[in-house]
Amino acid sequence: MRISPLLIAFLFLGAYQASAQRPVSVTGTYHESPISLLVADIESQTGFRFYYDPLQVDSLRVTYAFRNENLNTVLDKVFTGNGFFFTIVDKRILISKGRRLQASLPAKFFNPSVTDTSLNVIVENVDPLSPRPAVALLENKVYEIGSTRAETKSGVSTLAGYVRDEKTGEPIPGVSIEVDKIEAGVATDQFGYYSLSIPRGRHILSIQSLGKKDSRRIVQLLSDGKLDIELAEQIISLKEVIISANKASNISNVQMGVDRLNIRSIRQVPTAFGEADILRVVLTLPGVKTVGEASTGFNVRGGATDQNLILYNDATIFNPAHFFGFFSAFNPDVVKDIELYKSSIPSKFGGRLSSVLEINSREGNKREFSGSAGIGLLTSRISFEGPIKKDKTSFILGGRTTYANWLIGLLPDEFENSRGSFGDIDAHISHEIDKKNNIYINSYFSRDKFNLNSDTSYGYNNTNVSLKWKHIFSNKLNSVFTTGYDRYNYNIQSVRNKVNAYKLRFDINQYFLKGDFNYYLNADHTIDFGFNAIRYKLNPGNFQPADGESLVATEMVPTEHAMETAIYVGDRYTISSRLAVNAGIRFSMFHYLGPQEIWGYAAGLPKEEVNRLDRKNFGGGDVIQSYNGPEYRLSVRYSIDEMTSLKAAYNTSRQYIHMLSNTTAIAPTDIWKLSDPHIKPQRGDQFSLGVYRNFKSNTIETSLEVYYKNIRDYLDYKSGATLILNQDIETDVINTRGKAYGVEVMIKKQTGKLNGWLSYTYSRTLLQMDDPIAGEVINRGEFYPGNYDKPHDVTFIGNYRFSHRFSLSFNSTYSTGRPITLPVGRYYYAGSARVIYSDRNAYRIPDYFRTDLSINIEGNHKVHQKTHNSWTIGVYNLTGRKNPYSVYFVSENSVVNGYRLSIFGSMIPFVNFNIRF
Amino acid sequence: MKKSWSILTILFFALSCKQNYDIPLSAVAADLLVVEGYLTGSTQGTTILLSKSVAGSAEFTRNPESGAIVTVISESGTVQPVDEIADGRYVSNNIVLDASENYKVHIQTKNGNAYESAFVPYIQTPAIDSISWRREDDDIQIYANTHDPQNDTRYYRWDYDETFEYNSFFYSNYEYVNGSVIRRAFNNIFTCWRSGVSSNIFIGSSAKLTNDVIALAPILRIRNGEVKLSVRYSIAVRQYGLTKDAFEYWERLKKNTEQLGTIFDPQPSANKTNITCVSNPAEMVVGYISAGAVNSRRIFITNAEVQPWNYRAFCEEITVPEDSVEHYFALGIFIPTQEWSGVFTRLGYYASTRSCVDCRGLGSNVRPSFW
């Protein structure tokens, strides 16, 4: 290490200047006293503070008497000739053995590009009482955290703060902050907030985040304090497919089966119409499947489509698709990132069995106004963002619309009167009240409407508004309170024939309140606890005349009411650097409330109309039925070395709201049903094991996970069930038992010109209905494959960067065809023709294979220009394979004909133009 | 709504394409033996119907299985034959069955395969208490009522034969014979009877009740205005006692075969059976054999009892001049009804189409024995 003599001289000068500014005096008498006595006296009399290694000075004894002597004189006397040196910097006294200490090096020393010339400010005191926490910008500065007046003891203090984007002021979640090279580490939460409990003293924080430059901060932690960190965007490699927040996090993260994708990686996957589609990318992840292309509902590890909790800024989205699944309901310009929990579901989430998909929108730019827009063949979108009050309040506003009608115009004449449209609007505001309080207002509206040439129009809407308040009690304890209203409704209307013009409406409303607390107990324990409450109000069906002349009789299925509440507590416990545990318990309660009328059924007999007894009336607010139970969430990680870890997880969960669908996808006319005295909650448990290993300094990640899942009281329907406007749905459904198991293998390369991933999934989903009392026995009571049982699935997502402006994305996927029940023959019986059906789901539609290609062309990369634009050109279903979505049968001229329907039965070229301003 | 869904399907798969899908050969359930039968010693006689299934995509005709040897075997070993009378109908009117015994059916088809049902108990089906009917909305709903004093039967199935009397729209006094119109000696084409059998499945259970009582189990519904009640209607309901297992079979059959699957239809599934192929246990067999007493009851309903009954037929009369009778009547499309008279002379005849004059197009002019 070469040190410029001039610089050292300058430093020393600075140090002495500092001490010379304030002559202070010391009084005391010492006889063979340990140095600590003197230190204590000087600190109490002068306010100066000592820094030394107690082991180095334990042999030093002091015998002096001082009376109002100058501090420098005292120190000279004590530390002269015994091999000790002292250095005074500001109000700090540094004691060293053997040579005089240099307090620090200027920032410029290691990083000549930093233009900070104030070399004398090498140590910045971050005063905990200042109105705003200091923003730590420089990597080689030493940030002193905490009060110098506090008693300096060895021990642990807490450091907390926000990590923000340097340019926009937007908080960055999922940033990994590691202390002293992996001794301890945390990741920022969804608000970009972190809290670390570490021993006092000097530490190097390594900060890594996807799409941001890796960075570090040096802190001198004196007591609890705050440190906000700003990160610069990594502009150089635009084309990396990055799936996890930080390198090696797949190894060190205790949770299993968690996938995090940011919008940048989502944008690289080619989609049917060129617009980045969040849910379609989710479908490429191992363990996630769909029954077909025109369905955005997805199945996670053998779970049904309704077993996924889809949270958009904490609001529940019941139908995540536009246009019957052609597009996902989320605007890619507003979404920041998504996180999918397939196995280890944090204890704060509950209410669905299979997975939690968290979708977070961005916060608006807090520094300047900006926007973006995209133009595609079927949809266009635009978004604006900017500060309302600089660095305090910002907004983001996004909208999408479609002009798919031209597509309908290309259809045969019989569709000439058809119309279809959809749109969605996002409006989010974030406001920092003070450094301890932030509020966020999120709202989301989506609308779909189809007027088909047939006499019927369909529409459905999502409406979500929420208010979130983040409050920091202290560095150790923070909280988030969220309250909001979620609504999903659909309606079907037919007015062409005035006599039977009708309107059918369905809606589900929920009001929720939740409080989530994080308590950073110490370096080893982080406690999460909180509560959730959801009040449901569900109108299962309202059939009304749509016209004054209509003779349709009004039919209503009575409104359902219920309350779901839960409390939870969890502990993230680092037992050693190798072993860590996340353990949580959640206790959920469900109350089905009146007013309602409930049929009684004879005990021991199937719940069928013939076995009905009496009808009981319950008044408003009466608790008709309650269910409750604990849910356990446990995951363990054992690191074999820095590149390899083993994980295991056990999870249980309960679900009180069920979607009833006799299609295998999510259709807009699916109804949701609350658990009631006849319909038990679904219960699931999952055990999973995984091995994770990274190669080539974490650039290649591999993982292997196996899981086994039990599903109890999964709701399947009986043969011939009707679901819409069914007054007594319990007579048409049965509780079945399910099991699912599988292996997921993934190889991922995150960096380099060629990046992407290859995943293989083997999975089975089997259901069983063998209780004749509960209803009909399916397939003689044997296990039968679920509708979405697709055992083999191989997906490859690849991206090759030719240059910074030009890259090629490619994906390819293969999966086994899904099961179907076939009408295999016909016969005469009891005076009529009848159909023989195969066992339920005994056959499969042909296998699925698809390849897509897209080329991304970026405009120039000059940082300072008014707009940045890019083009995406590609082909969906490159091989033009006619993948069957469904096989169905119609009776034509007394012959039963089978048809296979392909949704994208040919190559689909697309082009998209995106602009940022 | 069903229809609009399928249109919707086509629409939203605008870029989609539809191809024929042939059921994989391994999945075709053609040529399966279908066995239908209720073994009884009652006066009804035991009828066993044998047929074969056809492939789902084949043109559908009933496919009777002839030439089989059918026997009813008791658990104690007595064997009684049931012989074919025609077209896969195997009937025995003098079979003797004991209520304390269990029976099975043994079938040897002409290709040599042997089939057997499980042993089934002989259900002592109680008598029908009454067949009642009442007006529901504007329609007539017919019900069965029964009870079992032993509280033993619990599961019931009904089917029926129905017969109704009806009239032609026009009464004809004339007929066209050998080129000329002559006065009818006797009009036997005005009143006819038509018979039918049930083609739906009617089942009921008292399993939830403390007593084995079936009250108002819905059977047939006659829509207001149907021809069935234009004059007089009769229904003979047969009642079959079932085991619980058999009841579930019928229940499933009822639900499963209401409609064929389109993609938005509910998913059906295979039904069970109590018949197996002895010579090839892997072969699938369709049907369910039960045994027991069969009780029947007949009622009559006349048009006068159900007034107002908006039965309407739409027939027009034409006039046929004397010189055109051959032109109109020779082909038998028109039939003369009344004389068309002028002030002094006969101008010709009134006439109408055959279906408006001759009732035999829909039924028979032979009065049933029970009428």
Side-chain angles (χ1 to χ4, degrees):
Chain A
M1 193 186 280
R2 282 178 55 218
I3 300 172
S4 150
L6 187 70
L7 188 70
I8 294 172
F10 188 75
L11 268 172
F12 277 33
L13 188 64
Y16 277 108
Q17 271 175 348
S19 62
Q21 282 165 0
R22 287 188 181 179
V24 277
S25 54
V26 177
T27 302
T29 307
Y30 308 94
H31 182 77
E32 286 293 309
S33 308
I35 192 78
S36 57
L37 271 182
L38 173 77
V39 165
D41 284 351
I42 294 176
E43 286 189 345
S44 64
Q45 290 174 26
T46 65
F48 277 62
R49 197 149 291 274
F50 279 86
Y51 297 84
Y52 57 90
D53 180 348
L55 285 178
Q56 277 185 347
V57 296
D58 62 354
S59 59
L60 187 63
R61 291 288 180 274
V62 187
T63 308
Y64 281 113
F66 305 115
R67 179 155 307 221
N68 286 329
E69 281 199 60
N70 183 286
L71 176 64
N72 275 348
T73 318
V74 171
L75 294 174
D76 275 338
K77 278 182 181 165
V78 172
F79 295 109
T80 303
N82 48 14
F84 286 93
F85 295 90
F86 73 96
T87 309
I88 299 177
V89 182
D90 210 352
K91 291 184 94 178
R92 301 167 189 78
I93 302 161
L94 313 172
I95 301 168
S96 56
K97 197 175 178 182
R99 60 181 286 198
R100 201 178 285 278
L101 263 192
Q102 299 144 21
S104 182
L105 288 167
K108 192 163 182 172
F109 185 80
F110 287 113
N111 193 348
S113 70
V114 173
T115 53
D116 188 351
T117 51
S118 55
L119 287 177
N120 51 346
V121 190
I122 48 170
V123 175
E124 187 178 39
N125 185 5
V126 181
D127 183 354
L129 301 174
S130 77
R132 290 187 61 80
V135 174
L137 289 168
L138 296 178
E139 296 197 332
N140 295 311
K141 269 187 191 172
V142 176
Y143 295 93
E144 193 168 278
I145 310 290
S147 165
T148 48
R149 285 177 289 277
E151 204 158 322
T152 307
K153 278 194 205 156
S154 62
V156 172
S157 280
T158 311
L159 177 66
Y162 287 94
V163 180
R164 292 203 172 88
D165 186 295
E166 180 190 70
K167 215 170 148 193
T168 66
E170 222 184 292
I172 311 168
V175 178
S176 144
I177 299 172
E178 279 173 1
V179 183
D180 301 335
K181 290 285 164 208
I182 206 83
E183 274 307 308
V186 291
T188 54
D189 66 10
Q190 62 177 118
F191 307 98
Y193 186 77
Y194 73 96
S195 176
L196 271 170
S197 291
I198 43 177
R200 282 172 217 139
R202 179 172 299 198
H203 298 286
I204 297 169
L205 309 181
S206 307
I207 300 140
Q208 291 182 327
S209 171
L210 61 157
K212 301 283 180 263
K213 274 186 193 159
D214 288 357
S215 186
R216 66 169 196 170
R217 296 293 180 271
I218 304 167
V219 294
Q220 179 75 35
L221 188 63
L222 300 176
S223 65
D224 292 354
K226 289 214 182 324
L227 181 73
D228 285 0
I229 298 167
E230 293 200 337
L231 292 182
E233 194 172 353
Q234 186 159 24
I235 300 168
I236 298 156
S237 65
L238 279 171
K239 286 297 133 193
E240 284 181 12
V241 170
I242 303 164
I243 194 169
S244 61
N246 54 333
K247 297 162 200 156
S249 77
N250 62 321
I251 302 291
S252 60
N253 193 342
V254 181
Q255 286 181 319
M256 282 189 76
V258 180
D259 289 304
R260 173 182 274 270
L261 283 164
N262 74 336
I263 191 66
R264 185 170 285 168
S265 5
I266 292 168
R267 283 187 202 282
Q268 288 176 0
V269 179
T271 55
F273 298 106
E275 188 178 281
D277 190 315
I278 284 147
L279 294 179
R280 245 169 248 300
V281 177
V282 169
L283 292 176
T284 65
L285 298 172
V288 186
K289 296 178 188 226
T290 178
V291 291
E293 279 166 316
S295 56
T296 312
F298 56 94
N299 305 99
V300 177
R301 288 192 171 175
T305 47
D306 68 330
Q307 292 173 351
N308 306 311
L309 182 62
I310 301 172
L311 292 175
Y312 185 41
N313 291 329
D314 282 307
T316 307
I317 304 292
F318 287 91
N319 188 340
H322 279 311
F323 213 84
F324 296 93
F326 269 128
F327 300 93
S328 71
F330 308 102
N331 185 341
D333 283 348
V334 177
V335 169
K336 175 163 57 183
D337 57 16
I338 61 169
E339 202 156 3
L340 177 72
Y341 302 91
K342 299 182 291 192
S343 169
S344 304
I345 296 175
S347 49
K348 72 171 173 170
F349 297 121
R352 298 290 190 278
L353 287 197
S354 287
S355 76
V356 176
L357 177 66
E358 239 195 322
I359 299 161
N360 297 310
S361 68
R362 293 192 294 122
E363 274 178 40
N365 193 322
K366 287 194 160 153
R367 311 240 154 110
E368 59 189 30
F369 286 95
S370 66
S372 65
I375 299 166
L377 295 177
L378 287 176
T379 58
S380 279
R381 55 185 203 280
I382 190 158
S383 69
F384 292 103
E385 59 191 293
I388 294 172
K389 190 177 170 203
K390 198 175 175 198
D391 281 335
K392 280 275 188 191
T393 312
S394 72
F395 74 94
I396 184 163
L397 197 65
R400 278 198 300 176
T401 185
T402 183
Y403 29 84
N405 284 335
W406 68 266
L407 186 72
I408 295 166
L410 299 179
L411 296 178
D413 286 347
E414 52 176 318
F415 298 114
E416 62 179 337
N417 294 326
S418 300
R419 288 287 172 269
S421 68
F422 70 79
D424 53 49
I425 293 172
D426 283 271
H428 309 296
I429 293 172
S430 60
H431 173 64
E432 186 185 317
I433 300 169
D434 56 38
K435 63 172 177 163
K436 295 206 160 175
N437 293 288
N438 282 281
I439 57 169
Y440 307 85
I441 299 167
N442 295 306
S443 57
Y444 171 73
F445 308 92
S446 85
R447 180 188 63 88
D448 272 77
K449 203 166 164 58
F450 305 91
N451 189 358
L452 301 172
N453 204 37
S454 67
D455 51 354
T456 311
S457 66
Y458 302 82
Y460 60 91
N461 302 15
N462 280 306
T463 308
N464 303 84
V465 284
S466 66
L467 174 69
K468 198 181 294 189
W469 171 40
K470 177 167 171 134
H471 176 69
I472 298 168
F473 290 97
S474 71
N475 271 0
K476 284 179 177 263
L477 179 65
N478 65 63
S479 64
V480 181
F481 296 92
T482 314
T483 181
Y485 168 65
D486 304 324
R487 174 183 168 89
Y488 169 65
N489 68 291
Y490 70 75
N491 54 72
I492 300 171
Q493 200 170 35
S494 170
V495 290
R496 185 191 265 179
N497 182 343
K498 282 199 177 348
V499 176
N500 46 30
Y502 68 86
K503 261 192 288 199
L504 171 68
R505 289 190 309 218
F506 168 91
D507 59 75
I508 173 166
N509 303 277
Q510 62 177 41
Y511 303 86
F512 65 89
L513 173 69
K514 46 189 166 188
D516 299 307
F517 298 83
N518 290 310
Y519 183 63
Y520 303 94
L521 181 65
N522 57 39
D524 294 337
H525 290 274
T526 303
I527 315 280
D528 302 316
F529 58 95
F531 65 90
N532 302 163
I534 301 171
R535 177 77 164 78
Y536 294 101
K537 188 176 167 225
L538 202 149
N539 291 311
N542 183 346
F543 188 75
Q544 282 184 326
D547 191 283
E549 292 172 47
S550 174
L551 298 178
V552 162
T554 299
E555 193 180 350
M556 259 188 78
V557 184
T559 305
E560 293 192 285
H561 298 269
M563 183 87 184
E564 183 182 335
T565 47
I567 49 171
Y568 70 88
V569 60
D571 183 13
R572 284 177 269 166
Y573 177 30
T574 309
I575 297 166
S576 70
S577 62
R578 284 174 180 270
L579 187 64
V581 175
N582 277 10
I585 184 166
R586 178 183 171 90
F587 192 84
S588 61
M589 292 152 276
F590 178 83
H591 299 282
Y592 190 70
L593 305 172
Q596 191 64 268
E597 289 185 345
I598 300 285
W599 280 104
Y601 294 86
L605 291 173
K607 288 186 173 67
E608 277 163 19
E609 226 167 300
V610 291
N611 296 324
R612 250 181 211 161
L613 298 175
D614 54 336
R615 192 157 193 165
K616 263 193 213 154
N617 262 299
F618 293 89
D622 288 2
V623 175
I624 300 170
Q625 177 79 40
S626 56
Y627 294 102
N628 56 57
E631 300 170 31
Y632 306 99
R633 311 286 167 84
L634 181 72
S635 45
V636 183
R637 183 260 296 152
Y638 181 77
S639 305
I640 293 168
D641 55 45
E642 275 194 28
M643 307 284 269
T644 318
S645 68
L646 297 175
K647 297 181 200 177
Y650 177 73
N651 263 270
T652 69
S653 45
R654 300 165 75 88
Q655 179 167 344
Y656 301 103
I657 181 165
H658 322 273
M659 189 182 74
L660 294 172
S661 170
N662 48 8
T663 68
T664 43
I666 290 183
T669 52
D670 294 333
I671 62 160
W672 292 78
K673 173 80 185 83
L674 296 167
S675 280
D676 67 14
H678 301 304
I679 293 174
K680 288 183 259 178
Q682 302 179 48
R683 288 168 299 137
D685 57 80
Q686 183 184 168
F687 185 74
S688 44
L689 273 174
V691 187
Y692 305 78
R693 177 148 176 85
N694 289 2
F695 297 95
K696 299 203 170 176
S697 55
N698 291 332
T699 54
I700 295 177
E701 293 179 1
T702 61
S703 65
L704 186 145
E705 292 188 13
V706 296
Y707 66 90
Y708 187 92
K709 216 169 169 177
N710 279 306
I711 303 164
R712 290 185 184 80
D713 294 324
Y714 170 68
L715 220 51
D716 210 341
Y717 48 85
K718 295 180 187 172
S719 300
T722 49
L723 301 176
I724 293 173
L725 281 176
N726 188 331
Q727 301 276 355
D728 313 291
I729 203 91
E730 65 271 13
T731 60
D732 271 336
V733 295
I734 37 178
N735 285 322
T736 62
R737 199 146 60 93
K739 62 178 181 185
Y741 51 87
V743 183
E744 294 165 5
V745 183
M746 185 143 174
I747 302 168
K748 192 160 57 179
K749 182 172 180 293
Q750 299 206 54
T751 51
K753 281 196 158 182
L754 176 68
N755 53 60
W757 69 85
L758 175 68
S759 68
Y760 167 74
T761 309
Y762 173 78
S763 63
R764 296 304 309 269
T765 309
L766 301 170
L767 300 173
Q768 185 183 37
M769 171 58 219
D770 60 353
D771 179 8
I773 301 298
E776 67 182 40
V777 169
I778 294 166
N779 291 4
R780 301 163 298 281
E782 295 159 14
F783 276 103
Y784 62 95
N787 288 330
Y788 34 84
D789 176 65
K790 297 161 92 176
H792 300 282
D793 187 304
V794 183
T795 301
F796 172 75
I797 302 272
N799 190 282
Y800 188 80
R801 201 174 72 234
F802 291 96
S803 71
H804 286 167
R805 293 180 58 178
F806 186 69
S807 71
L808 188 76
S809 297
F810 176 86
N811 67 355
S812 187
T813 176
Y814 161 84
S815 65
T816 318
R818 72 180 163 86
I820 45 168
T821 307
L822 291 177
V824 290
R826 299 208 288 164
Y827 63 104
Y828 245 91
Y829 210 84
S832 183
R834 315 272 170 193
V835 177
I836 305 176
Y837 288 101
S838 67
D839 277 359
R840 188 177 282 196
N841 289 342
Y843 295 91
R844 288 180 184 279
I845 64 174
D847 292 350
Y848 184 91
F849 177 74
R850 197 193 76 231
T851 299
D852 316 315
L853 189 71
S854 79
I855 299 163
N856 307 294
I857 305 160
E858 296 275 338
N860 70 58
H861 284 89
K862 287 176 189 157
V863 174
H864 301 292
Q865 57 181 347
K866 280 214 168 77
T867 61
H868 297 260
N869 55 52
S870 67
W871 289 87
T872 307
I873 301 164
V875 180
Y876 185 82
N877 197 9
L878 191 66
T879 58
R881 182 181 156 92
K882 295 172 171 52
N883 284 304
Y885 167 74
S886 128
V887 166
Y888 67 99
F889 299 88
V890 287
S891 187
E892 291 166 343
N893 305 326
S894 81
V895 175
V896 181
N897 287 323
Y899 292 100
R900 42 186 277 193
L901 192 72
S902 313
I903 293 162
F904 299 117
S906 53
M907 281 169 65
I908 299 174
F910 60 84
V911 60
N912 230 295
F913 177 66
N914 303 301
I915 187 159
R916 275 189 299 131
F917 47 86
Chain B
M1 203 134 77
K2 205 107 271 165
K3 190 167 177 226
S4 51
W5 263 123
S6 53
I7 292 171
L8 171 70
T9 312
I10 297 162
L11 171 80
F12 89 77
F13 303 157
L15 299 156
S16 70
C17 71
K18 191 169 113 175
Q19 291 172 293
N20 282 323
Y21 174 80
D22 296 324
I23 291 172
L25 275 179
S26 63
V28 170
D31 272 342
L32 303 184
L33 185 68
V34 180
V35 184
E36 183 177 0
Y38 191 87
L39 313 178
T40 181
S42 312
T43 51
Q44 306 283 339
T46 291
T47 300
I48 291 167
L49 300 175
L50 298 187
S51 61
K52 285 278 176 95
S53 67
V54 296
S57 57
E59 185 85 28
F60 189 49
T61 49
R62 186 165 179 273
N63 188 13
E65 173 69 5
S66 291
I69 300 160
V70 180
T71 48
V72 174
I73 303 171
S74 76
E75 211 160 20
S76 58
T78 58
V79 178
Q80 303 180 73
V82 184
D83 298 322
E84 183 172 17
I85 53 166
D87 288 346
R89 285 181 78 84
Y90 298 77
V91 177
S92 169
N93 285 321
N94 47 18
I95 203 163
V96 180
L97 300 175
D98 183 344
S100 60
E101 272 268 44
N102 291 333
Y103 295 93
K104 68 177 179 184
V105 173
H106 181 92
I107 298 160
Q108 176 140 18
T109 54
K110 59 176 183 269
N111 66 6
N113 281 358
Y115 301 85
E116 245 176 35
S117 73
F119 277 109
V120 290
Y122 192 88
I123 309 279
Q124 287 283 41
T125 311
I128 298 175
D129 291 340
S130 67
I131 300 298
S132 58
W133 60 272
R134 70 179 178 208
R135 232 183 155 94
E136 259 182 24
D137 301 323
D138 288 333
D139 307 333
I140 298 300
Q141 175 70 52
I142 294 166
Y143 301 96
N145 304 281
T146 187
H147 78 282
D148 181 2
Q150 311 298 320
N151 287 335
D152 236 14
T153 308
R154 296 289 177 185
Y155 300 98
Y156 299 88
R157 182 172 84 87
W158 297 274
D159 62 13
Y160 60 83
D161 289 332
E162 61 179 353
T163 307
F164 59 90
E165 183 182 322
Y166 62 98
N167 293 328
S168 301
F169 193 85
F170 295 109
Y171 191 87
S172 164
N173 285 319
Y174 293 85
E175 61 186 322
Y176 179 78
V177 179
N178 297 329
S180 57
V181 176
I182 58 166
R183 207 176 163 82
R184 272 180 204 275
F186 170 68
N187 181 335
N188 62 351
I189 58 167
F190 183 68
T191 298
C192 288
W193 291 266
R194 183 187 163 102
S195 294
V197 295
S198 50
S199 59
N200 291 322
I201 295 166
F202 304 99
I203 47 178
S205 155
S206 67
K208 63 168 178 176
L209 305 178
T210 49
N211 292 327
D212 188 358
V213 175
I214 298 280
L216 298 179
I219 310 289
L220 174 74
R221 191 179 179 103
I222 305 173
R223 307 274 161 208
N224 193 322
E226 273 190 68
V227 63
K228 285 178 180 178
L229 265 164
S230 61
V231 180
R232 190 171 185 234
Y233 175 82
S234 174
I235 184 169
V237 176
R238 282 181 297 270
Q239 175 165 294
Y240 307 88
L242 299 176
T243 58
K244 183 167 184 287
D245 229 29
F247 180 81
E248 281 164 9
Y249 173 83
W250 284 100
E251 192 177 35
R252 172 87 68 96
L253 184 65
K254 185 179 164 84
K255 283 188 171 173
N256 252 0
T257 57
E258 273 168 4
Q259 56 206 348
L260 270 180
T262 72
I263 56 170
F264 292 109
D265 275 341
Q267 284 210 348
S269 53
N271 208 344
K272 58 186 172 187
T273 175
N274 67 346
I275 302 154
T276 48
C277 179
V278 185
S279 35
N280 176 16
E283 187 181 321
M284 209 174 129
V285 188
V286 179
Y288 201 98
I289 288 289
S290 298
V294 181
N295 293 300
S296 150
R297 197 170 188 104
R298 176 179 295 281
I299 61 159
F300 291 88
I301 310 171
T302 62
N303 175 267
E305 296 172 87
V306 297
Q307 286 301 328
W309 193 258
N310 302 313
Y311 172 66
R312 292 273 184 281
F314 298 95
C315 283
E316 281 180 7
E317 236 170 351
I318 58 167
T319 52
V320 176
E322 193 87 61
D323 57 0
S324 305
V325 293
E326 191 187 345
H327 174 73
Y328 279 95
F329 301 138
L331 287 171
I333 294 167
F334 288 95
I335 295 174
T337 54
Q338 307 296 334
E339 196 179 83
W340 174 26
S341 309
V343 183
F344 304 109
T345 58
R346 183 170 71 199
L347 299 175
Y349 300 93
Y350 290 99
S352 189
T353 50
R354 175 170 287 276
S355 60
C356 291
V357 182
D358 184 349
C359 65
R360 293 173 302 178
L362 287 172
S364 153
N365 60 355
V366 179
R367 178 185 292 265
S369 56
F370 53 82
W371 208 263

